[in-house]
Amino acid sequence: MSWRMFSYKSAVNNRKKTKTREWFDAIIFAVLAATLIRVFFIEAYTIPSGSMEKSLLIGDFLFVSKVNYGARIPMTPVAFPFAHHTMPITGTKAYWDGVEWKYRRLPGLSEIKRNDVVVFNLPVGDTVALENQEPSYYNLVRQFGWKSVNSQYTVTSRPVDKRENIIKRCIGISGDVVSMKNGILSVNGKVEPLKNTGQMPYKIQLKIADINFEVFKELGFTVNEMEQVDPFTYVANATSEMIDKLKTFDFIKSVALNVKPETVNDADLFPLDSNRKWNVDNFGPIKIPAAGWTVQLDSNTMPLYYRAIRTYEGNKVEKRGNAWYINDKPVNTYTFKMNYYWMMGDNRHNSIDSRYWGFVPEDHVVGKALLIWMSWDKEGSFFHKIRWNRLLKGIN
């Protein structure tokens, strides 16, 4: 064997990857591929609360499409793969906010439509008290005061794409006017009844006190959550379809929506304006901002649009005497740069949504919920924990 042949074989052997190097390269490739799929195409999501029942249940595992509305280019690009905002073990930040890109979105298949089920970043999640489960830092401050909250908890800020992910139904799109009266929603003056998959509280009056509650269970009621008012009266969450079936039974005397009267004021509702006596069942009308829409700025409109103009669109806003200044210039109108949406949960009396924190800006939108690929009930044996009738179920 010549020295040239020996040198060639030695070079080939030296370039051959070790098993460790092969595994390392494979893992890097898998992480990059999975990250690209998660960021630009589809992402898994889990339902953590009952705010969308009975459309979506606690324990539903979803696929959320980034393609439908157009994938959002990462605004905080330096981040740990597969972690959202917090590292799972250390509890530290899973991203570095030293590099932040402005909001951009790739072309999508469609715009957000009314009644789409949408995943988005919590608008009031820009500031959080880490040790508290309350989703809104601002609610904590209103309840306990700024000094108490900031001394008791670790308070931090989060960029848009690292705010908490939540899921709701889009009730109104940009330019719509939404309102609710006696628990019935209207969009642009047209009544929009709650779909059969959504829940409202009903007052149920019985003709007899002694009944078999298995009937309620078979209809889909959560019997142990039914509130007894007196021997003949119960308050229970139900869909309109469940109520229609219940009314056919002889032992039912009457069934009616159990909503708050207009005279009751919920002080913690958007826009936190003492001049508006609104509650979860009676509010509005509210016009949802649209890109290019110009609003007149006055004492009536500013409570509604102040946060959108200042926080979401990044302007300096202040009042000097009776005049409003934006970026140190006196103004009496403002033209919006982004589209906004009104999101609400299907479980209307068990949902913290736009009624509490207002509009959802377009740069907060993550994607469209498409499919339930797995559903897991915490009750029962292993086999019965799987909700077989929900597997591979489309979301509408």
Side-chain angles (χ1 to χ4, degrees):
M1 181 184 295
S2 69
W3 68 269
R4 291 187 179 87
M5 181 64 71
F6 179 80
S7 298
Y8 173 75
K9 287 186 175 182
S10 297
V12 169
N13 289 334
N14 288 336
R15 288 198 300 269
K16 187 176 181 181
K17 294 181 180 178
T18 65
K19 287 291 183 183
T20 301
R21 178 61 185 275
E22 288 178 354
W23 274 105
F24 178 79
D25 289 350
I27 291 171
I28 293 297
F29 175 79
V31 169
L32 288 174
T35 300
L36 288 174
I37 292 171
R38 180 172 177 262
V39 170
F40 294 105
F41 296 97
I42 200 163
E43 183 176 1
Y45 184 82
T46 307
I47 297 298
S49 73
S51 70
M52 286 294 291
E53 290 184 350
K54 296 189 181 280
S55 305
L56 299 171
L57 307 180
I58 296 174
D60 281 351
F61 293 81
L62 318 179
F63 281 138
V64 176
S65 167
K66 306 294 182 70
V67 177
N68 282 64
Y69 305 140
R72 183 178 60 183
I73 303 299
M75 302 163 80
T76 314
V78 183
F80 191 84
F82 311 122
H84 182 42
H85 52 61
T86 305
M87 295 295 288
I89 298 175
T90 63
T92 55
K93 289 199 303 187
Y95 59 92
W96 181 53
D97 49 13
V99 177
E100 291 190 32
W101 294 343
K102 69 179 183 179
Y103 166 64
R104 296 185 184 88
R105 191 179 292 275
L106 297 178
L109 301 178
S110 68
E111 301 293 329
I112 297 177
K113 299 182 179 68
R114 297 183 199 95
N115 291 314
D116 281 359
V117 178
V118 182
V119 173
F120 55 93
N121 300 116
L122 180 65
V124 292
D126 55 330
T127 306
V128 291
L130 295 180
E131 297 86 358
N132 195 287
Q133 297 301 310
E134 163 65 55
S136 174
Y137 160 81
Y138 303 101
N139 277 349
L140 288 175
V141 171
R142 281 192 293 272
Q143 292 176 41
F144 306 108
W146 183 91
K147 185 175 181 180
S148 174
V149 173
N150 281 265
S151 61
Q152 188 176 355
Y153 302 108
T154 304
V155 176
T156 187
S157 61
R158 286 176 179 161
V160 170
D161 57 341
K162 297 304 177 183
R163 295 169 192 174
E164 205 68 53
N165 286 333
I166 61 174
I167 185 167
K168 305 290 178 187
R169 190 176 297 277
C170 179
I171 298 302
I173 60 175
S174 51
D176 282 348
V177 177
V178 296
S179 62
M180 181 173 271
K181 186 175 179 62
N182 296 325
I184 306 298
L185 185 78
S186 293
V187 179
N188 299 326
K190 180 184 176 182
V191 172
E192 295 287 345
L194 188 63
K195 308 299 181 186
N196 282 337
T197 52
Q199 293 190 137
M200 282 288 286
Y202 288 85
K203 181 180 284 187
I204 303 166
Q205 292 192 304
L206 311 175
K207 294 178 181 177
I208 55 175
D210 186 18
I211 63 169
N212 182 2
F213 279 92
E214 283 298 315
V215 173
F216 286 87
K217 191 173 181 180
E218 290 171 4
L219 290 177
F221 286 84
T222 306
V223 174
N224 60 357
E225 293 180 1
M226 293 175 63
E227 177 189 351
Q228 185 173 11
V229 179
D230 60 47
F232 297 93
T233 308
Y234 290 82
V235 174
N237 282 329
T239 67
S240 57
E241 185 179 33
M242 291 161 59
I243 293 301
D244 289 341
K245 292 177 181 178
L246 183 66
K247 288 179 178 178
T248 63
F249 290 95
D250 293 337
F251 61 84
I252 297 296
K253 181 180 180 180
S254 66
V255 182
L257 275 173
N258 188 53
V259 297
K260 293 185 177 183
E262 291 183 83
T263 53
V264 174
N265 178 31
D266 286 338
D268 57 345
L269 283 191
F270 174 83
L272 301 173
D273 179 14
S274 59
N275 294 319
R276 289 178 165 89
K277 308 299 181 184
W278 291 352
N279 61 48
V280 292
D281 297 312
N282 297 276
F283 66 82
I286 303 171
K287 182 161 184 175
I288 305 168
W293 176 57
T294 300
V295 62
Q296 188 76 27
L297 302 181
D298 53 37
S299 59
N300 182 55
T301 59
M302 280 305 287
L304 292 170
Y305 303 114
Y306 175 82
R307 181 173 173 84
I309 296 170
R310 188 199 66 174
T311 305
Y312 304 145
E313 304 217 343
N315 296 290
K316 177 184 177 184
V317 183
E318 57 184 334
K319 189 176 185 181
R320 301 177 188 172
N322 293 322
W324 286 99
Y325 284 71
I326 295 181
N327 301 324
D328 295 319
K329 296 179 181 179
V331 293
N332 52 28
T333 62
Y334 178 78
T335 301
F336 286 93
K337 303 170 188 174
M338 289 192 293
N339 290 317
Y340 292 79
Y341 305 92
W342 191 266
M343 306 286 186
M344 290 175 63
D346 286 353
N347 192 357
R348 289 286 163 81
H349 271 224
N350 188 29
S351 174
I352 305 297
D353 49 37
S354 283
R355 290 170 292 181
Y356 291 86
W357 30 252
F359 313 112
V360 176
E362 64 177 69
D363 65 350
H364 283 55
V365 173
V366 174
K368 181 179 182 179
L370 289 183
L371 180 75
I372 301 170
W373 62 271
M374 169 61 76
S375 186
W376 188 262
D377 193 339
K378 63 181 180 180
E379 304 293 336
S381 62
F382 177 81
F383 184 80
H384 291 97
K385 284 181 182 291
I386 300 175
R387 301 184 183 110
W388 297 97
N389 62 331
R390 298 184 66 80
L391 302 190
L392 302 180
K393 181 179 178 181
I395 298 170
N396 50 47

